[in-house]
Amino acid sequence: MSRFWSPFVNDLVPYVPGEQPKLDNLIKLNTNENPYGPSPRVVEAIRAQLDDSLRLYPAPNADQLKDTIASYYGVTAAEVFVGNGSDEVLAHIFHALFQHGKPVLMPDISYSFYPVYCGLYGIEAQTLPLAEDFSIRPADYRGENGGIIFPNPNAPTGMLMPLAGIEQILQANPDSVVVVDEAYIDFGGETAIALVNRYPNLLVTQTLSKSRSLAGLRVGLAVGHADLIEALERVKNSFNSYPLDRLAIVGAVAAFEDQAYFQQTCQAVINSRDALSQGLQERGFQVLPSAANFVLARHGERDADELAAGLRAQKVIVRHFRAPRIEQFLRITVGTPEQNQALLRALDALL
Ligand code: PMP
């Protein structure tokens, strides 16, 4: 604390991201990055942009990218918002669309950035417990609220809610903005974007950090009714009128254009996830059913803290959330088949 701080800074509890250690010989399975690199066409497009044009500001509306996303999802560009990673898109959503004076509803085991945004913008967060099997119960999301948000698949459980559950929540809350955070949707879920034209209160967010392997480029997006998007644009333009830099715009466009690479790498991650889940189960782990590029797994007899430390000593890094109900679980990012084998071997040395 400093006497120079604005008073609100004293009360902020910021998000703590997963660690990003130097890679030398580490098997890094702690922050849900894609083990396969981005499309070669993305790298080419960014290289081609490295010229004198960098002296110019980027397009203030990232129109080229919005058009690309709009035609990819069959919506209009006025229904698309883009930002520096979905974290920034989410920050604008909490700021522009969630109401003060009523609680924002979210699952109690969920993306831990949500309560941080609530703290930043002075919004009340109300967490709703997951069911016994760790699924989100759509019927709980009702009553007066200032907005609703949940990831689908949920993080860090990896569990998917079918579109029928999302519709149930939308129908029960016609006066609230319902945000579906689809950071991991491409690894086996069905996007809710198709529902946007039937529900003006639905906003779907996605990221290029996971399925398109561009966490380092920082590109996220939201799709929803033009009215919701206009609110986000107003807030964004009151903060920073350039949503993305020139390299991010051309790289993200190229990522959406290389559909074949996207499908091939997503399928490789899905296959690798299923093999990893099986390998863990064979070693006595309970693995929650995952539709994401990570699994949440608990060993029946061994302490999660000890396992995480034992893996780390063998240069394999996984994430351990010391949160209620999941304190005995490890969240393991799906790696390549070779990385998964190395993880399983490291576990064999511990079990
Ligand atoms: N939502 C969820 C559920 C996430 O797990 C993450 C990644 N930590 C994000 C959003 C943000 O991803 P990014 O800012 O890289 O788009």
Short mmCIF file of all heavy atoms in Angstrom, two decimals, residues 254-280:
data_model
loop_
_atom_site.label_atom_id
_atom_site.label_comp_id
_atom_site.label_asym_id
_atom_site.label_seq_id
_atom_site.Cartn_x
_atom_site.Cartn_y
_atom_site.Cartn_z
N ALA A 254 -5.56 -14.94 -40.60
CA ALA A 254 -4.97 -16.14 -41.23
C ALA A 254 -5.38 -17.39 -40.45
O ALA A 254 -5.60 -18.46 -41.04
CB ALA A 254 -3.44 -15.99 -41.28
N ALA A 255 -5.48 -17.28 -39.13
CA ALA A 255 -5.87 -18.45 -38.32
C ALA A 255 -7.27 -18.92 -38.70
O ALA A 255 -7.51 -20.13 -38.81
CB ALA A 255 -5.80 -18.11 -36.84
N PHE A 256 -8.20 -17.99 -38.89
CA PHE A 256 -9.56 -18.40 -39.27
C PHE A 256 -9.60 -18.93 -40.70
O PHE A 256 -10.46 -19.73 -41.04
CB PHE A 256 -10.55 -17.23 -39.10
CG PHE A 256 -11.04 -17.11 -37.69
CD1 PHE A 256 -10.55 -16.15 -36.83
CD2 PHE A 256 -12.02 -17.98 -37.22
CE1 PHE A 256 -11.00 -16.06 -35.52
CE2 PHE A 256 -12.48 -17.90 -35.91
CZ PHE A 256 -11.96 -16.93 -35.06
N GLU A 257 -8.67 -18.46 -41.53
CA GLU A 257 -8.69 -18.91 -42.93
C GLU A 257 -8.13 -20.32 -43.10
O GLU A 257 -8.47 -21.00 -44.05
CB GLU A 257 -7.93 -17.90 -43.80
CG GLU A 257 -8.78 -16.64 -44.00
CD GLU A 257 -8.05 -15.53 -44.74
OE1 GLU A 257 -6.84 -15.65 -44.98
OE2 GLU A 257 -8.70 -14.52 -45.06
N ASP A 258 -7.26 -20.74 -42.18
CA ASP A 258 -6.67 -22.08 -42.33
C ASP A 258 -7.49 -23.11 -41.56
O ASP A 258 -7.09 -23.65 -40.53
CB ASP A 258 -5.21 -22.08 -41.86
CG ASP A 258 -4.46 -23.31 -42.38
OD1 ASP A 258 -5.11 -24.23 -42.91
OD2 ASP A 258 -3.23 -23.34 -42.24
N GLN A 259 -8.65 -23.40 -42.11
CA GLN A 259 -9.61 -24.29 -41.46
C GLN A 259 -9.06 -25.72 -41.37
O GLN A 259 -9.28 -26.42 -40.38
CB GLN A 259 -10.91 -24.24 -42.27
CG GLN A 259 -12.06 -25.03 -41.72
CD GLN A 259 -12.54 -24.52 -40.37
OE1 GLN A 259 -12.08 -23.47 -39.89
NE2 GLN A 259 -13.42 -25.26 -39.73
N ALA A 260 -8.32 -26.15 -42.40
CA ALA A 260 -7.83 -27.53 -42.42
C ALA A 260 -6.86 -27.76 -41.25
O ALA A 260 -6.95 -28.75 -40.53
CB ALA A 260 -7.14 -27.82 -43.75
N TYR A 261 -5.95 -26.81 -41.05
CA TYR A 261 -4.97 -26.94 -39.96
C TYR A 261 -5.68 -26.96 -38.60
O TYR A 261 -5.36 -27.74 -37.71
CB TYR A 261 -3.97 -25.78 -40.03
CG TYR A 261 -2.87 -25.90 -38.99
CD1 TYR A 261 -1.70 -26.61 -39.25
CD2 TYR A 261 -3.01 -25.31 -37.73
CE1 TYR A 261 -0.70 -26.73 -38.29
CE2 TYR A 261 -2.03 -25.42 -36.76
CZ TYR A 261 -0.87 -26.13 -37.05
OH TYR A 261 0.11 -26.25 -36.10
N PHE A 262 -6.67 -26.07 -38.48
CA PHE A 262 -7.44 -25.96 -37.24
C PHE A 262 -8.11 -27.29 -36.90
O PHE A 262 -8.00 -27.80 -35.79
CB PHE A 262 -8.48 -24.83 -37.43
CG PHE A 262 -9.58 -24.80 -36.42
CD1 PHE A 262 -9.34 -24.37 -35.13
CD2 PHE A 262 -10.87 -25.18 -36.76
CE1 PHE A 262 -10.37 -24.31 -34.19
CE2 PHE A 262 -11.90 -25.13 -35.84
CZ PHE A 262 -11.65 -24.71 -34.55
N GLN A 263 -8.78 -27.86 -37.92
CA GLN A 263 -9.50 -29.12 -37.66
C GLN A 263 -8.54 -30.25 -37.32
O GLN A 263 -8.79 -31.04 -36.40
CB GLN A 263 -10.34 -29.50 -38.89
CG GLN A 263 -11.64 -28.73 -38.87
CD GLN A 263 -12.45 -28.89 -40.13
OE1 GLN A 263 -11.95 -29.35 -41.15
NE2 GLN A 263 -13.70 -28.49 -40.07
N GLN A 264 -7.43 -30.28 -38.03
CA GLN A 264 -6.46 -31.35 -37.82
C GLN A 264 -5.85 -31.26 -36.41
O GLN A 264 -5.73 -32.27 -35.70
CB GLN A 264 -5.40 -31.18 -38.90
CG GLN A 264 -4.33 -32.20 -38.97
CD GLN A 264 -3.18 -31.65 -39.83
OE1 GLN A 264 -3.40 -30.94 -40.82
NE2 GLN A 264 -1.97 -31.94 -39.41
N THR A 265 -5.48 -30.06 -35.97
CA THR A 265 -4.83 -29.95 -34.65
C THR A 265 -5.85 -30.15 -33.52
O THR A 265 -5.53 -30.74 -32.49
CB THR A 265 -4.09 -28.61 -34.49
OG1 THR A 265 -4.94 -27.55 -34.92
CG2 THR A 265 -2.80 -28.58 -35.28
N CYS A 266 -7.10 -29.67 -33.72
CA CYS A 266 -8.12 -29.90 -32.68
C CYS A 266 -8.35 -31.40 -32.52
O CYS A 266 -8.43 -31.90 -31.39
CB CYS A 266 -9.44 -29.22 -33.02
SG CYS A 266 -9.43 -27.45 -32.73
N GLN A 267 -8.43 -32.12 -33.64
CA GLN A 267 -8.67 -33.56 -33.56
C GLN A 267 -7.49 -34.25 -32.88
O GLN A 267 -7.69 -35.16 -32.06
CB GLN A 267 -8.90 -34.14 -34.97
CG GLN A 267 -9.47 -35.54 -34.97
CD GLN A 267 -10.77 -35.67 -34.15
OE1 GLN A 267 -11.72 -34.91 -34.35
NE2 GLN A 267 -10.80 -36.59 -33.18
N ALA A 268 -6.27 -33.78 -33.16
CA ALA A 268 -5.10 -34.38 -32.51
C ALA A 268 -5.17 -34.17 -31.00
O ALA A 268 -4.86 -35.08 -30.22
CB ALA A 268 -3.82 -33.77 -33.09
N VAL A 269 -5.59 -32.98 -30.57
CA VAL A 269 -5.70 -32.71 -29.12
C VAL A 269 -6.79 -33.59 -28.51
O VAL A 269 -6.61 -34.15 -27.42
CB VAL A 269 -5.98 -31.20 -28.86
CG1 VAL A 269 -6.35 -30.96 -27.41
CG2 VAL A 269 -4.77 -30.36 -29.26
N ILE A 270 -7.89 -33.74 -29.22
CA ILE A 270 -9.00 -34.57 -28.70
C ILE A 270 -8.54 -36.03 -28.53
O ILE A 270 -8.76 -36.65 -27.49
CB ILE A 270 -10.23 -34.47 -29.64
CG1 ILE A 270 -10.85 -33.06 -29.57
CG2 ILE A 270 -11.27 -35.55 -29.31
CD1 ILE A 270 -11.86 -32.75 -30.65
N ASN A 271 -7.86 -36.54 -29.56
CA ASN A 271 -7.37 -37.93 -29.46
C ASN A 271 -6.39 -38.08 -28.30
O ASN A 271 -6.42 -39.04 -27.54
CB ASN A 271 -6.66 -38.35 -30.76
CG ASN A 271 -7.62 -38.36 -31.94
OD1 ASN A 271 -8.85 -38.34 -31.76
ND2 ASN A 271 -7.08 -38.39 -33.15
N SER A 272 -5.51 -37.07 -28.17
CA SER A 272 -4.50 -37.10 -27.13
C SER A 272 -5.16 -37.01 -25.74
O SER A 272 -4.71 -37.66 -24.79
CB SER A 272 -3.55 -35.93 -27.38
OG SER A 272 -2.47 -35.96 -26.52
N ARG A 273 -6.23 -36.23 -25.65
CA ARG A 273 -6.95 -36.10 -24.37
C ARG A 273 -7.55 -37.44 -23.97
O ARG A 273 -7.46 -37.86 -22.81
CB ARG A 273 -8.07 -35.06 -24.51
CG ARG A 273 -8.98 -35.00 -23.28
CD ARG A 273 -10.17 -34.11 -23.51
NE ARG A 273 -11.11 -34.67 -24.44
CZ ARG A 273 -11.82 -33.98 -25.33
NH1 ARG A 273 -11.71 -32.67 -25.39
NH2 ARG A 273 -12.66 -34.59 -26.14
N ASP A 274 -8.15 -38.12 -24.94
CA ASP A 274 -8.82 -39.37 -24.60
C ASP A 274 -7.80 -40.42 -24.15
O ASP A 274 -8.03 -41.16 -23.20
CB ASP A 274 -9.69 -39.83 -25.77
CG ASP A 274 -10.82 -38.81 -26.03
OD1 ASP A 274 -11.06 -37.97 -25.13
OD2 ASP A 274 -11.44 -38.83 -27.10
N ALA A 275 -6.63 -40.42 -24.81
CA ALA A 275 -5.58 -41.36 -24.42
C ALA A 275 -5.04 -40.99 -23.03
O ALA A 275 -4.79 -41.88 -22.19
CB ALA A 275 -4.45 -41.34 -25.45
N LEU A 276 -4.88 -39.70 -22.77
CA LEU A 276 -4.38 -39.25 -21.45
C LEU A 276 -5.37 -39.65 -20.35
O LEU A 276 -4.96 -40.17 -19.30
CB LEU A 276 -4.18 -37.73 -21.47
CG LEU A 276 -3.83 -37.09 -20.13
CD1 LEU A 276 -2.49 -37.59 -19.62
CD2 LEU A 276 -3.80 -35.55 -20.25
N SER A 277 -6.66 -39.43 -20.59
CA SER A 277 -7.67 -39.77 -19.58
C SER A 277 -7.59 -41.26 -19.26
O SER A 277 -7.64 -41.67 -18.10
CB SER A 277 -9.08 -39.46 -20.08
OG SER A 277 -9.18 -38.10 -20.37
N GLN A 278 -7.44 -42.06 -20.31
CA GLN A 278 -7.37 -43.51 -20.10
C GLN A 278 -6.12 -43.89 -19.30
O GLN A 278 -6.19 -44.67 -18.35
CB GLN A 278 -7.37 -44.21 -21.45
CG GLN A 278 -7.81 -45.65 -21.34
CD GLN A 278 -7.62 -46.37 -22.67
OE1 GLN A 278 -7.77 -45.78 -23.73
NE2 GLN A 278 -7.28 -47.64 -22.58
N GLY A 279 -4.99 -43.28 -19.66
CA GLY A 279 -3.73 -43.56 -18.95
C GLY A 279 -3.84 -43.19 -17.48
O GLY A 279 -3.32 -43.89 -16.60
N LEU A 280 -4.52 -42.09 -17.19
CA LEU A 280 -4.68 -41.66 -15.79
C LEU A 280 -5.60 -42.63 -15.05
O LEU A 280 -5.32 -43.01 -13.90
CB LEU A 280 -5.23 -40.23 -15.75
CG LEU A 280 -4.25 -39.14 -16.17
CD1 LEU A 280 -4.97 -37.80 -16.38
CD2 LEU A 280 -3.12 -38.96 -15.15
#
